[in-house]
Amino acid sequence: MEEWDPFSIGSKRYNNEIAVVVEHLQVLDHPSELAKKIQSIYESTFKKWIPLEQCVDVSYKLLAIKYEAKSII
């Protein structure tokens, strides 16, 4: 998430949004649900819309990391 810069403002500017996304990642397991939540979180803060396809890409990556971490434990 720290490398994703959907608005080209510098990836370090999204710390609060990343924290909220990670909270939702703990309870959401479906890529499209997580993608919609990511889109909503960033849109509410920056008042800019991110295409859902970009959010879906990120959600798949996050969910893959989540499940990989679960399988290690």
Side-chain angles (χ1 to χ4, degrees):
M1 290 280 323
E2 291 179 356
E3 295 174 6
W4 189 46
D5 187 6
F7 302 122
S8 299
I9 60 172
S11 59
K12 300 295 182 190
R13 305 275 313 267
Y14 303 106
N15 290 335
N16 293 334
E17 293 73 29
I18 291 170
V20 176
V21 168
V22 169
E23 287 178 26
H24 288 284
L25 178 61
Q26 303 303 313
V27 295
L28 296 174
D29 291 321
H30 196 275
S32 64
E33 290 177 18
L34 182 58
K36 290 175 186 174
K37 186 54 74 175
I38 292 169
Q39 186 183 49
S40 172
I41 291 165
Y42 280 76
E43 183 177 357
S44 68
T45 301
F46 295 99
K47 308 300 183 220
K48 294 180 182 178
W49 183 80
I50 302 171
L52 189 60
E53 295 80 18
Q54 289 181 23
C55 298
V56 168
D57 290 342
V58 171
S59 72
Y60 272 107
K61 291 174 185 174
L62 291 173
L63 288 168
I65 292 167
K66 174 182 173 178
Y67 290 122
E68 183 178 325
K70 281 185 178 181
S71 70
I72 292 171
I73 295 175

